[in-house]
Amino acid sequence: MTSAPISSDAIASQDRIAWIRLSSCYLPLANPISDAKVLTGRQKPMTEIAMLFAEIETRDGHRGLGLSYSKRAGGPGQFAHAQEIAPALIGEDPSDIARLWTKLCWAGASVGRSGMAVQAIGAFDVALWDLKARRANLSLSKLLGSQRDSVRCYNTSGGFLHTPLDQLKVNARASLDRGIGGSKLKVGQPDCALDIQRVEAMRKHLGDATPIMVDANQQWDRPTAQRMCRIFEQYNLIWIEEPLDAYDYEGHAALAAQFDTPIATGEMLTSAAEHAELIRHRSVDFIMPDGPRLGGITPFLKVAAQAEAANVMLAPHFAMELHVHLGAVYPSEPWVEHFDWLEPLFNERLELKDGRMLVPTRPGLGLSLSEQARTWTRATAEIGQRA
């Protein structure tokens, strides 16, 4: 009697996490960035982005790369929390991603199940999904079940409020020429007339067919949001983003019910449970989960499933290098936000064509850290031992 051959799946299930490297990397921005939160005095201009990278390696030599980030504050806290909980992964089966997310969450449960705590988990979670896809020799989107090989994309980095109107026009035209499908403009200034002037000028400049979005970054109260949404109806916008505080579920729901222009929000929420409240209240036409911000791919997929069931459209926030894959999996056509800020951190670049972002076909996320990223790294920590 001969024994059955050992399957590759059985071999994979015997593999274990052996080593983790955490890196705290600070990406400098070429120019200080201002949105409505700066003009209302609530925040200072943004000058850098704190990146948290997790590199995971198994005993059999399989590797994964994950990321999370923080803007303006929180980077050292994310790195410190990641260091505390990382030992919980050593010796674990890297395929058990959902179980490991829960384990990491309970390892830091005293500081909560949202916010900085889950943002630190996000780097590990993305790394584990990247590892799983690489081991299968599939891109992340193919591993998850891709619906398309490209996604609609729009540019944000050229539309901030510190940018003069003439330069705004130049930036928008340049992004369209580059192959990006639409442009988003920041609004929410204390003088609403300036917002109207900029949006009207950009609609005239780009024409009626070009997709335009606007983003108030939570700076309107309910009466102002009502007035501005009514005025903006005439400009045929793809959406009006964050017209109200991120946790004003009822206020967003009232706007979504009243106006033809879609309402978009969700980027500032930091758990699947918070996104579920947006969906339950019917607060959004476009939901905008941020994978690293809400704890990685595992909770992002929960949000996406709930959104699909409620017939809500998807427009993930920031981190296009991750969200191009997750957008490709969503059943209805999403929008993915194009930010070129993170490009120096990686050796690879995303391709653009005819208003769309092509989904990488390389295994996993298709990313590797650049030497520049290593140069900008301020702190590292290693847990476990390399095979």
Side-chain angles (χ1 to χ4, degrees), residues 341-383:
W341 293 355
L342 303 188
E343 286 185 343
L345 299 171
F346 307 107
N347 294 312
E348 301 78 14
R349 296 290 178 271
L350 294 176
E351 296 181 52
L352 304 167
K353 184 179 180 182
D354 299 331
R356 302 181 70 84
M357 188 182 295
L358 305 186
V359 183
T361 58
R362 299 179 296 273
L365 292 172
L367 298 175
S368 58
L369 290 178
S370 67
E371 286 303 313
Q372 183 63 77
R374 303 294 187 192
T375 301
W376 286 331
T377 296
R378 298 182 187 176
T380 62
E382 294 192 24
I383 299 94

Side-chain angles (χ1 to χ4, degrees), residues 70-81:
S70 183
K71 298 177 180 177
R72 293 187 176 88
Q78 285 185 9
F79 181 67
H81 189 70

Side-chain angles (χ1 to χ4, degrees), residues 15-129:
D15 199 6
R16 294 293 182 267
I17 297 170
W19 174 83
I20 300 167
R21 177 163 59 196
L22 298 170
S23 302
S24 178
C25 172
Y26 283 76
L27 167 71
L29 299 177
N31 299 297
I33 302 301
S34 295
D35 57 24
K37 298 186 295 293
V38 174
L39 298 191
T40 56
R42 290 177 170 174
Q43 290 184 343
K44 295 180 179 180
M46 182 166 53
T47 59
E48 62 184 7
I49 300 174
M51 302 296 301
L52 172 64
F53 293 111
E55 297 167 84
I56 296 178
E57 187 172 296
T58 69
R59 291 191 311 218
D60 292 346
H62 297 288
R63 302 194 69 180
L65 171 66
L67 68 138
S68 193
Y69 74 92
S70 183
K71 298 177 180 177
R72 293 187 176 88
Q78 285 185 9
F79 181 67
H81 189 70
Q83 282 184 271
E84 285 191 293
I85 62 176
L89 292 178
I90 299 300
E92 288 284 5
D93 185 341
S95 294
D96 295 343
I97 301 176
R99 182 178 65 81
L100 295 182
W101 195 98
T102 302
K103 183 178 184 181
L104 291 174
C105 187
W106 280 107
S110 66
V111 292
R113 285 184 267 182
S114 64
M116 187 183 297
V118 301
Q119 289 164 11
I121 294 174
F124 298 116
D125 187 79
V126 173
L128 290 171
W129 281 103

